[in-house]
Amino acid sequence: MGRALGGGDSEFGADRTRSSADDAALWRRFRGVAGEDARIGARQRLKLTGTAPGKFSVNLPDIVPPDTWRGEALMRDVWRMGMERLTLERAQAPWSAPLPSRHFADRLHRFDWLPDLVSQGPAGASRAAAFIDSWIDAFGTFNGFAWRAEPTANRIWNWMRCASDVFTADARPERMDCLVRQLRLLADTLDQTTDPKTRWIGSCVMVARSVCLDGAHKLDEALGRLDGECTAQILPDGGHVSRSPSRLLSALLNLLALREVLQEAGHVVPDYFVKWIPRMGAMLAFFQTDDGALNPFNDGDEGRPEAVNAALARLGAPPRHFTFAPKSGFQKLQKGPVRLVLDCGEAPPPPFGDFAHAGALGFELSDGPARLVTSCGYSAEVNVDWQAAVRRTGAHSTLVLAGRDSASFVTNEESRLLAAMGPEGISAKRLEESDETWLDAQHGGYKAACGLLHRRRLFMSGDGSRLTGEDSLVRPISQSRSDDSKFINFEIRFHLHPTVTAMMSRDAIRLICDNGSVWRFKTSHEGTRLERTVYLARGIVEQPEQIVMSGYADPNSDGNEPPNCIRWAFLKESAA
């Protein structure tokens, strides 16, 4: 599996049984400062005390359709996070049993699962309330791991989403007391937090707190804080600065819920909501595939189509359509049902690159609802070592030179995480003539180490039945010839979606999609093969196949001829 993910990734084994020491070491390595236990002193503990309101004045709307499959599993006492599974006694609280890993515990303490459990009717709501009470009994005073800023902010948001079911008139007063204690701690620490995820959800929580619990006390301050985060984290074209479609979806759903609760409570919705929501909606539609879900770029998964559609349905007007997102760094080719999205942007600046991927010039290709070419994807549900492994260039459908990454991974001293930087000189030009489209893109991520640029040219026919590509490795004219004439190994990878069945034949690789459409991959390049890879973007570690073309590049080539020029094509077979 190490070869499927690029050089040096063999350390990232599949989800295996680990000792607690191994688990702790992985957690520290891949979660950095955000994974450290929270600490509070005696004075800060005193700040958490005080009178709690008796009830919500208005409820935060839960606009995200529930994951009923997960809700049903929870009612059967089956708890699953990625590849880890816990089966308990009837209605047993999960934290009452030994947990598989810190990652599992982290996902558990966020309560993202709470709305799914509540969706199971009165029995689900009753069990959800009981679990909250059990959590309060175990962790409600304080717990360093559970009360870290990011899971605390997410837990508060999820509790508030379910307020009409779990903060009822007959609820234990300890529920509201604990909620307010967490809100006070979050408010006290939010300004010192540098983690972008925590700052975003924390700012949303502060607005919800003011509207739903505090009678609009400090509402202007909370809205001003959120305005600042929108400016910092939303790009002018509507994309999220992380370049992650699923992060964009989460942020948009947060803003839509806050817009509704502000309107319900009779408050004026700020102008920046009117500015950002349509742009974010248009960018979300840009990333939506015909199966209703999302392209899993950077630290993004496919997401659930129901959640994507719920966000788009609340825009108030159909989203604007476009084919180039210049600030986010993506190009789209679409002819009929055939759709390609190319990553032609550099990693975001600090501190937003801590989870970015080195996937320059990788692309996603789909035919209607059938996904063909993708990357190894990502999922927050899957263990942290897998999340780190798929950040490498070899985990994307692009070219890898000398086993290197196209972007540099540099330690962010504040977060102690490896942030992606670059690549330099990434660009894409688009040419449309009649009903045919060309993309000509390149980056200089390998220039410093190997003296070569990676250039990728893509052409899509007018009916979408033919995608031809050319990958070349070019020594820039401005650069003198290399004295080292040793050829440099390269690999071009096309990761196939788990729903694709690949069959190698004498002159092509036949790709059969689960909806019945059939494509052929053709190339004259020798050494083309199929290998196993991984796919995380559906919340588990799947093992589909990938097409790999390997060879050796001349360090002084102009890229016009083999071995530095490799041509290939995806051809759709006509229906019988």
Side-chain angles (χ1 to χ4, degrees):
M1 193 58 62
R3 293 182 65 193
L5 295 176
D9 280 319
S10 58
E11 63 186 295
F12 303 115
D15 298 274
R16 59 190 183 276
T17 301
R18 301 186 175 106
S19 69
S20 59
D22 289 339
D23 181 54
L26 285 169
W27 182 257
R28 285 193 300 270
R29 180 178 177 187
F30 296 125
R31 288 297 294 166
V33 172
E36 294 179 350
D37 283 6
R39 294 177 175 84
I40 60 173
R43 180 177 298 180
Q44 198 170 22
R45 283 181 182 271
L46 286 175
K47 288 183 179 180
L48 305 186
T49 62
T51 304
K55 63 178 182 177
F56 281 67
S57 57
V58 60
N59 289 324
L60 183 70
D62 186 12
I63 65 174
V64 184
D67 183 342
T68 54
W69 182 90
R70 180 160 70 171
E72 291 168 359
L74 294 176
M75 290 300 291
R76 298 193 305 271
D77 301 286
V78 176
W79 298 77
R80 192 173 99 178
M81 309 290 173
M83 298 298 287
E84 297 176 319
R85 176 185 173 116
L86 191 64
T87 303
L88 301 175
E89 300 297 327
R90 178 171 174 77
Q92 181 183 358
W95 34 81
S96 66
L99 299 179
S101 66
R102 278 173 171 76
H103 168 75
F104 193 101
D106 176 73
R107 305 308 299 173
L108 198 63
H109 286 300
R110 292 167 186 261
F111 278 75
D112 291 336
W113 45 267
L114 190 69
D116 304 323
L117 185 57
V118 166
S119 73
Q120 298 300 299
S126 175
R127 189 174 292 194
F131 284 156
I132 288 178
D133 290 341
S134 171
W135 187 91
I136 291 169
D137 292 340
F139 308 103
T141 301
F142 181 75
N143 175 273
F145 184 83
W147 284 57
R148 290 171 297 120
E150 188 189 356
T152 296
N154 280 277
R155 181 169 57 250
I156 293 169
W157 183 265
N158 288 315
W159 284 16
M160 295 183 77
R161 286 171 62 191
C162 301
S164 60
D165 290 286
V166 298
F167 287 93
T168 54
D170 59 346
R172 289 174 61 195
E174 288 85 356
R175 286 183 209 164
M176 186 66 80
D177 290 342
C178 184
L179 176 66
V180 173
R181 282 172 58 81
Q182 294 174 79
L183 283 164
R184 288 176 180 142
L185 179 63
L186 183 63
D188 193 47
T189 59
L190 193 54
D191 284 335
Q192 289 75 50
T193 300
T194 59
D195 172 54
K197 293 181 180 180
T198 305
R199 291 187 66 86
W200 176 270
I201 189 62
S203 298
C204 293
V205 164
M206 290 300 107
V207 175
R209 170 191 182 176
S210 179
V211 176
C212 299
L213 293 170
D214 291 350
H217 179 60
K218 294 187 177 181
L219 178 57
D220 289 343
E221 177 183 325
L223 288 170
R225 184 198 303 272
L226 182 56
D227 187 9
E229 291 305 317
C230 285
T231 302
Q233 300 202 36
I234 308 301
L235 297 169
D237 59 16
H240 192 273
V241 67
S242 66
R243 307 184 67 242
S244 165
S246 64
R247 292 267 290 274
L248 171 66
L249 171 61
S250 296
L252 178 56
L253 288 167
N254 294 149
L255 290 185
L256 290 168
L258 291 176
R259 184 181 69 177
E260 287 193 19
V261 79
L262 285 166
Q263 291 171 335
E264 184 178 349
H267 299 295
V268 175
V269 176
D271 290 342
Y272 68 84
F273 277 67
V274 179
K275 171 186 175 181
W276 290 118
I277 286 176
R279 297 187 191 186
M280 295 167 73
M283 198 70 223
L284 185 69
F286 179 94
F287 288 122
Q288 188 182 33
T289 65
D290 281 1
D291 64 7
L294 298 174
N295 293 127
F297 288 105
N298 289 294
D299 62 324
D301 56 18
E302 289 187 11
R304 292 188 300 118
E306 300 90 343
V308 181
N309 290 330
L312 295 176
R314 283 173 166 76
L315 295 180
R320 181 174 60 91
H321 293 287
F322 50 91
T323 56
F324 176 38
K327 297 300 182 181
S328 293
F330 292 95
Q331 289 267 8
K332 181 194 290 186
L333 298 178
Q334 183 152 14
K335 301 296 181 182
V338 181
R339 174 182 175 278
L340 178 146
V341 180
L342 175 73
D343 180 346
C344 52
E346 61 182 318
F352 303 107
D354 284 352
F355 296 92
H357 291 197
L361 306 191
F363 65 82
E364 301 272 329
L365 176 66
S366 56
D367 179 8
R371 296 176 185 239
L372 280 88
V373 178
T374 181
S375 64
C376 287
Y378 173 92
S379 173
E381 298 299 313
V382 174
N383 279 352
V384 290
D385 49 344
W386 276 114
Q387 294 176 20
V390 296
R391 298 180 69 190
R392 305 290 301 274
T393 300
H396 299 80
S397 292
T398 186
L399 180 145
V400 182
L401 184 62
R404 295 179 175 272
D405 294 307
S406 60
S408 301
F409 287 102
V410 180
T411 300
N412 178 345
E413 297 299 334
E414 281 193 334
S415 66
R416 292 207 305 272
L417 295 174
L418 289 176
M421 304 285 287
E424 65 172 275
I426 189 166
S427 64
K429 296 178 182 178
R430 185 185 192 97
L431 176 63
E432 298 193 35
E433 185 174 303
S434 184
D435 60 347
E436 298 178 330
T437 310
W438 288 261
L439 289 180
D440 190 341
Q442 70 177 30
H443 74 78
Y446 304 123
K447 181 180 175 183
C450 304
L452 294 171
L453 304 177
H454 174 209
R455 185 177 187 184
R456 169 163 275 182
R457 292 168 168 166
L458 300 170
F459 165 80
M460 186 175 285
S461 63
D463 62 358
S465 65
R466 178 164 57 100
L467 172 70
T468 58
E470 177 184 284
D471 284 293
S472 54
L473 289 162
V474 183
R475 190 165 193 88
I477 297 175
S478 60
Q479 197 160 310
S480 60
R481 286 180 61 84
S482 172
D483 294 332
D484 186 355
S485 59
K486 183 179 180 181
F487 278 37
I488 309 168
N489 66 294
F490 70 83
E491 291 177 326
I492 301 170
R493 298 178 180 273
F494 298 105
H495 296 268
L496 304 176
H497 194 265
T499 56
V500 175
T501 301
M503 302 175 63
M504 182 80 81
S505 65
R506 184 174 59 83
D507 62 347
I509 298 175
R510 201 159 185 254
L511 308 175
I512 305 171
C513 304
D514 63 352
N515 70 342
S517 64
V518 179
W519 288 70
R520 284 177 295 132
F521 176 81
K522 300 197 71 172
T523 180
S524 59
H525 182 77
E526 295 183 3
T528 302
R529 63 191 186 275
L530 287 172
E531 284 187 0
R532 285 290 177 187
T533 183
V534 297
Y535 189 71
L536 311 187
R538 300 201 292 186
I540 58 174
V541 181
E542 300 178 86
Q543 295 191 4
E545 292 187 285
Q546 62 176 322
I547 300 168
V548 184
M549 297 187 291
S550 58
Y552 291 88
D554 181 347
N556 291 304
S557 172
D558 62 5
N560 288 324
E561 299 294 336
N564 285 47
C565 181
I566 305 94
R567 298 181 177 90
W568 46 266
F570 287 89
L571 308 170
K572 186 173 183 178
E573 292 189 1
S574 301

